[in-house]
Amino acid sequence: MSQQKWSEVDAYYTDLLLRPNPVLDEVARACNAAGLPPIAVSEAQGKFLYLLASIQGAGKILEIGTLGGYSTIWLARALGEGGRLISLEYEERHAAVARDNIKLAGLDKIAEVRVGKALDRLPEIEANEEGPFDLIFIDADKPNNPNYLTWAMKLTKPGSVIVSDNVVRNGNILDEQSLDKNIQGLRRFNEMVADDSRVTSTVIQTVGEKGYDGFMLTRVIS
Ligand code: SAM
């Protein structure tokens, strides 16, 4: 199987199952035009996140890693009445594009982008008692995933869902000796999840227009 085939199948299902989405198309164009790296979730993956948050009946969502707000908008669209989303982003330039996109999507009253290193912004979320979150999407710097898991456990409650993207990385996750800090961070994160009796998890490997990767889905059970 080739990347071309994966992309064609993604396009087939996206055309078939996703309704025309002019605002999100415009958001993707704005991210490209601003020169943001093409590392947002795909349209199909965005819909997957939207469905997860909807099934969860999420009222509060925390995202770590905003980029141009593409996944933020998918997630925020799943929020019910009175829902709220906080997204943390290190790069001011990315956050500025995301804020414009969130406004374009008409979600600026419920979705907020906060700038800074996530590890610097998470303590205030705890201090201000802005959680617990029904869903946390971890999609930023992978070396910090172990720290993000620790924070996610503080900011969730039994029944909450934690989604982590890019946990397969073209299969490189198997390399125990990897010198890649992303792999090292993810492997440590995986071990922490595996050892934590408060959660239950699985990983679904994905192929598609974003190549070969995967999501970890975790439910907080106690
Ligand atoms: N979730 C986005 C989407 O699918 O549309 C993609 C996020 S992109 C994969 C990762 C983002 O995390 C980048 O915009 C990057 O600047 C941001 N990031 C990297 N390190 C960070 C940190 N320490 N704190 C917060 N954000 C960080």
Side-chain angles (χ1 to χ4, degrees), residues 45-59:
Q45 291 169 342
K47 178 82 181 272
F48 173 74
L49 292 172
Y50 163 85
L51 286 169
L52 271 182
S54 305
I55 292 163
Q56 175 69 349

Side-chain angles (χ1 to χ4, degrees), residues 39-41 63-72 88-91 94 116-119 137 139-142 144 148 166:
I39 52 173
V41 295
E63 178 179 62
I64 306 178
T66 319
L67 192 64
Y70 188 77
S71 55
T72 319
L88 305 180
E89 172 55 50
Y90 176 60
E91 298 279 352
H94 297 182
K117 288 183 184 166
L119 289 179
F137 180 40
D139 191 21
D141 49 330
K142 310 308 174 198
N144 266 321
Y148 297 147
N166 310 119

Side-chain angles (χ1 to χ4, degrees), residues 43-187:
E43 201 173 351
Q45 291 169 342
K47 178 82 181 272
F48 173 74
L49 292 172
Y50 163 85
L51 286 169
L52 271 182
S54 305
I55 292 163
Q56 175 69 349
K60 283 189 191 179
I61 297 177
L62 173 66
E63 178 179 62
I64 306 178
T66 319
L67 192 64
Y70 188 77
S71 55
T72 319
I73 292 168
W74 273 109
L75 286 166
R77 282 183 170 183
L79 286 167
E81 190 66 30
R84 183 152 169 69
L85 183 151
I86 298 170
S87 188
L88 305 180
E89 172 55 50
Y90 176 60
E91 298 279 352
E92 178 65 61
R93 191 172 69 87
H94 297 182
V97 175
R99 286 186 183 124
D100 286 348
N101 284 334
I102 290 166
K103 197 165 174 45
L104 178 76
L107 293 164
D108 50 315
K109 299 278 186 293
I110 58 172
E112 179 194 350
V113 181
R114 297 186 186 171
V115 179
K117 288 183 184 166
L119 289 179
D120 292 340
R121 302 301 314 247
L122 286 160
E124 79 196 16
I125 292 176
E126 184 187 38
N128 294 338
E129 297 182 4
E130 293 177 287
F133 295 91
D134 304 296
L135 187 149
I136 298 185
F137 180 40
I138 302 176
D139 191 21
D141 49 330
K142 310 308 174 198
N144 266 321
N145 262 37
N147 295 322
Y148 297 147
L149 179 65
T150 301
W151 273 105
M153 293 310 296
K154 288 187 200 176
L155 295 172
T156 49
K157 60 185 178 188
S160 297
V161 165
I162 303 167
V163 186
S164 336
D165 197 8
N166 310 119
V167 299
V168 172
R169 307 189 83 79
N170 221 16
N172 295 327
I173 194 64
L174 292 178
D175 184 358
E176 290 175 36
Q177 311 300 331
S178 178
L179 299 177
D180 180 338
K181 298 269 184 253
N182 296 307
I183 299 293
Q184 291 174 359
L186 282 168
R187 286 186 64 94

